[in-house]
Amino acid sequence: MATNKHSFNQILISHWEAFIRSLKAPPANAKLINGENLDIACVVASSRYGSNVGLDENALQRLIKGAEVVHGALGQGEIIYGVSTGFGGNSDVRTAVAAEMSAGLMRGLHYGILSDQKPKSSIYDENISSQDLPSILSKTASLQEDPHSATTMPESWVRGSMIIRANSLAGGASGVRPIIVQTILDLLNKDVVPRIPLRGSISASGDLSPLSYIGGVMQGKPAVQAHINGRNSFPQYVRADEALSQAQIKPVKLAEKEGLALVNGTAASASVGALAIHDAMLLALLSQILTAMSVEALLGTDESFNPFFAKVRPHIGQIESAENILAFLTSSKLVQQNDGSKEFSQRQDRYSIRTASQWIGPVLEDLASAHKQITIELNSVTDNPLFDGDKVLHGGNFQAKCVTTAMEKTRQGVQSLGQMLFAQCTELINPVTNRGLAPNLVVDEPNESWMWKGTDIMIAALQSELGFLANPVGNHVQSAEMGNQALNSLALISARYTHTALEVLSQLAAAHLVALCQALDLRAIDISFRDALFPEFKKSITKFFSPHMKMQEDLDPFRAKLWAAFIDLITATTQLDSPTRFKLAIESLHAGIINSLEPSVEMIQALKSWTTECCETSTSIYRSTKAEYLANPDATPILGLASKRMYLYVRNVLKVPFFGDKMLKPAEWDVPDEFGRTMEFTSMGGMITAVYDAIRSGALFAVGMECLQDASGKVENNGVRKDV
C-alpha cells in the first residue's frame, strides 16, 4: 500500500482516524481550536454528529491583542475600511458613527428568502367564491415543494460554517474580542443553530448574507430564527432572542469591526466544501470496492491490476487504485486467469473493469488536491481588513476561488466515478455482457421476471443528471455590488451543486451494490449447480456412450470436452427458461458425440436415451440447487476480501435479501413467501433506499474503511499482494 503521506489512501486513513477521535471524544476532551489546527474530520464530526468544540488558551490571548489593535488604530484616527468608511462600492464614504456600522451592515445583509408557506384553506371553502383571485391562489395552492428545504440551508452546513468562522477569527488577525468567538462556540455546543437562507451568496466578499444570520442570532435579534433542541428531537425554529434565553447565552453587542469580521469570510463555502470532500473521498473508496465486486460478479481477471502497469505509468492515483482493487480481490474464487486459450473468448475484460484503476486514479489525485485546498481554507483568516501586529492591511482573502476550484474538480470526479459504476452495472444486468448471469439478474425463470429492468433505467437517469451537474459553475460570474465585486467565486453555489452530485452518486452506488450482491448470489447458485451436476453428467456419459467409444482410452477427454461445450452453451443462453436452455445445449452436443462414437442403431438409441435423461437430470438438479440456496443464501465462501464484508453488511445488517419476483410478489401485499418468510422490504426501491441511507449516514463508509484496513495488511509497499 502506498505510504506517501500525500497519497489518497494515507489522506483518507488519517482523515478517518481523526474523524473517529473527534466523534468519540467526550465534551471534556473537546477539540480546542486555535486558528491553525482545524481539520475536515473535526468539521464533519461537529456539524453532522454534534461533537463539541472549544477555544484554545493561546488563541484567547491573540484575540485580546487583536481587539486592542483596532481600538488603538481608531484612536489614532486611522481610516479603516468598514469601520470608519462605508462598505464595498461605498468605501469612499466616511462615517463618524463607527459603533453603528456593524449593526447597519448586518441589517442590510438579512435579505435571504426563508419560506414557511402553508395552505390556509380548502378550495371548497364556501366563502372562497367571494374573494379576489390572488387571495384564492395564496390560500389554496398545493405546495410545489417543501418550502423549508427549498429555502433553508441544512443544519449541518450551518454548524460547519460556525466552527470554521470561529476558527478563522481565532487566528487573531481580524480584530474581534474573545467573546465573539466564544459565543459562536456556545451556540454550536448548545445546539442553537441559526436559520440561514440556502441561496443568495456569490462568495466574493466572502459569504456575506449567510454569515450575517449567525451574527444576528448572536445579537439575539427577534428578526432572525434559530434551530433549538436539534440533537434530542426534531429541530424547532424560534426567534433568536428566545433561543439565546433558552440556552442561557447572553446576547452580544457588536463593537467596531466585529460585524464586518463575522460576515466577511468564506466559512459557509468552506463548510459545504469540507462536508463534500468527506463524502467524495469515501464514495471514491466505495467505488473501488464496488469495482472489485464487479470484477468478481463479471468473472473478470485481476491481470488488469498487475503492478507492472503502474510501474511503467507511475501516476500515484493509478498506483493506489490498482493496489486497492488487487487487495480487495484477495481470496476470491471468482477471479479468472484468462490466457485467451479458450476459443471465441475475450482475451481481456471490458473497459469498465479493465481500465478502472486508470479511470479512478486521476479522481483520487484531484480529491487529494481538493482536500488540501479545503484544509488550508479552514485554517485561513478570510476577512478584510486584517491586522498584522499594529499594521492595518486591506486585501482580498475573502475571495473563495480556491473553494470553487476544489468543488469543480470534485464534482467532475463524482461524474467520472458515476460513469464507471453505471457502465459496470449495466454490463451486469445485460446477458450479452455479464458472462452467464440471467438477464435482469433474475433468480426466477427469465420468461417470468424482468426484475432489474427498471433499475437499469433508473441508473441511466442518475448518470445523465451527474453529467449535467459536472458542468462548471465558476464561469457564470455576474458583476455585483456597483461593479465592485466584478470577480466573484460562486464557491457556495458550486459546493451546493457538488452535494447534489454526491447525493445522486450515492443513489447510483446504492443501486449498484444491491445489484452486485444479487449477482454474486447468482454466481454462487451457478457454482453449486455445476458442482452438483458434473459427477452426474460424467456418469451419464459413461453409462450411455462407453460401449460405443472408438477407443476406451478416449473416454476422459471425451467427457471433459462435452462438459466444457455444455457449460459454454448454457452460459450463452441464459435468456431462455432453464428446461429449454438445458435441452438446447444438450441437443447441440449431438454432432460432436456422433463423430466420436462407432456408428450403429444402438448408439443412436443411446443418444436419444442420454438426451432425455440428461435434460431431466439437469433441470432437476438446477431447481433443487436453487431452492436449497434460496432457503439459506450465502455467497461468502466464494467472495474476496472486500466483497465478503460488503455482502455480509448488506445481507445481515441492512437485511436486504437475495430476492426474486416470487419473493417480492407476496411482500408487496405483506404476506409470507413460499418459505414462510415475511420480507422487511416491499419493493426494490425500498432495498436500494436502505443502502442509500447507510451511505448517507456514514454507516456503510465505516464498512468501507474496514475493507481498506484489511487491504493495507495484504499489500506491500511495492503493491505486491501478500497474506499476513
Side-chain angles (χ1 to χ4, degrees), residues 62-73 76 78 80 171-175 385-393:
R62 286 199 299 270
L63 287 164
I64 293 172
K65 291 179 181 178
E68 291 173 349
V69 171
V70 176
H71 294 296
Q76 295 173 11
E78 186 165 351
I80 302 175
S174 302
L386 300 178
F387 301 90
D388 180 12
D390 295 333
K391 187 185 297 183
V392 183
L393 298 174

Side-chain angles (χ1 to χ4, degrees), residues 39 57 212 278 287 365 375 457 464 477 510 527 662:
D39 54 28
E57 181 66 27
S212 77
H278 171 81
S287 296
E365 293 174 19
T375 300
I457 296 169
S464 296
V477 172
I527 290 172
K662 291 181 180 178

Side-chain angles (χ1 to χ4, degrees), residues 469-498:
L469 290 169
N471 285 296
V473 170
N475 59 358
H476 294 279
V477 172
Q478 307 297 318
S479 182
E481 201 269 298
M482 300 171 61
N484 183 49
Q485 297 182 13
L487 295 180
N488 44 83
S489 70
L490 307 182
L492 183 54
I493 298 173
S494 185
R496 279 177 30 225
Y497 280 115
T498 304

Side-chain angles (χ1 to χ4, degrees), residues 294-305:
S294 296
V295 172
E296 294 180 84
L298 290 168
L299 299 181
T301 175
D302 59 3
E303 180 183 348
S304 309
F305 312 106

